[in-house]
Amino acid sequence: MIDLEDLNIKEIIVIDCEASGLKEKSYPIEVGVALHEDSFSFLIKPEKDWTYWSKSAEKIHNIKREELFDEGISCFEAAQRLNSQLRDLTLFSDATDYETFWLDRLFKAAKCERFFDIESIYSLPFKDEVYAAEKKRLSSFIIIHRAENDAHIIRESLVKSLS
């Protein structure tokens, strides 16, 4: 558990991924990051061998596979952007196993190393009931299941529940 005294709220950075599904063959299709005063996201073009697509996942995130080819960036460009903006930082996730799985898949396809770490939000000493209430409140007027929005909701809920 991270000590609250050692924590600078401005240093809490949250990452979230949307994916083609939840199976072993799934891959990242969108990455979103929420920082103290900024956030960003991008869609990712699937690699040639990334063919798995879950229609039920599509119904949740509302991203069509065709959009990835039209608006997405290459795995290499995605990895480079993430590394250049997040180098040597620790990011937080509410689903560390999934985020790590998809980011590992992204960086392997890009043939480069990831230069940032991912920790679970559950290593932070937040107040569960405050976090849950704030997340519910924010989710009532922000479109959920889009990576940047979800990262923002998680970050803002954490900040509120830590103070």
Side-chain angles (χ1 to χ4, degrees), residues 9-13 34-39 155-156 159:
I9 299 290
K10 291 180 180 179
E11 294 175 355
I12 294 177
I13 302 167
L35 300 102
H36 172 60
E37 292 183 344
D38 193 16
S39 63
R155 186 185 189 287
E156 293 307 309
V159 168

Side-chain angles (χ1 to χ4, degrees), residues 7 18 25 44 54 65 71 103 136 139 146 148:
L7 190 62
E18 296 301 327
K25 297 182 283 186
I44 301 166
S54 166
R65 187 167 155 81
E71 301 171 32
L103 290 169
K136 182 178 181 179
S139 296
R146 288 304 300 257
E148 184 174 359

Side-chain angles (χ1 to χ4, degrees), residues 17-21 27-31 42-46 50 52-53 57-58 61 63-65 68 72 102:
C17 297
E18 296 301 327
S20 65
Y27 49 89
I29 63 169
E30 184 180 42
V31 175
F42 47 80
L43 296 174
I44 301 166
K45 281 184 189 171
W50 290 2
Y52 172 77
W53 189 257
E58 180 181 317
H61 53 58
I63 300 169
K64 302 213 176 300
R65 187 167 155 81
L68 303 177
W102 290 316

Side-chain angles (χ1 to χ4, degrees), residues 81-142:
R81 280 191 195 180
L82 290 169
N83 273 342
S84 71
Q85 292 183 282
L86 306 170
R87 180 179 284 276
D88 299 327
L89 297 175
T90 297
L91 284 64
F92 292 92
S93 166
D94 67 344
T96 312
D97 290 344
Y98 281 118
E99 254 63 271
T100 301
F101 173 78
W102 290 316
L103 290 169
D104 286 350
R105 180 153 283 176
L106 171 73
F107 278 84
K108 182 178 180 183
K111 296 180 174 66
C112 63
E113 185 178 348
R114 178 167 45 93
F115 294 122
F116 55 90
D117 295 319
I118 303 171
E119 293 285 331
S120 173
I121 64 167
Y122 302 104
S123 67
L124 298 170
F126 63 89
K127 298 175 190 107
D128 290 338
E129 63 284 347
V130 176
Y131 175 81
E134 184 65 6
K135 190 172 178 189
K136 182 178 181 179
R137 185 186 76 78
L138 291 171
S139 296
S140 70
F141 63 88
I142 296 175

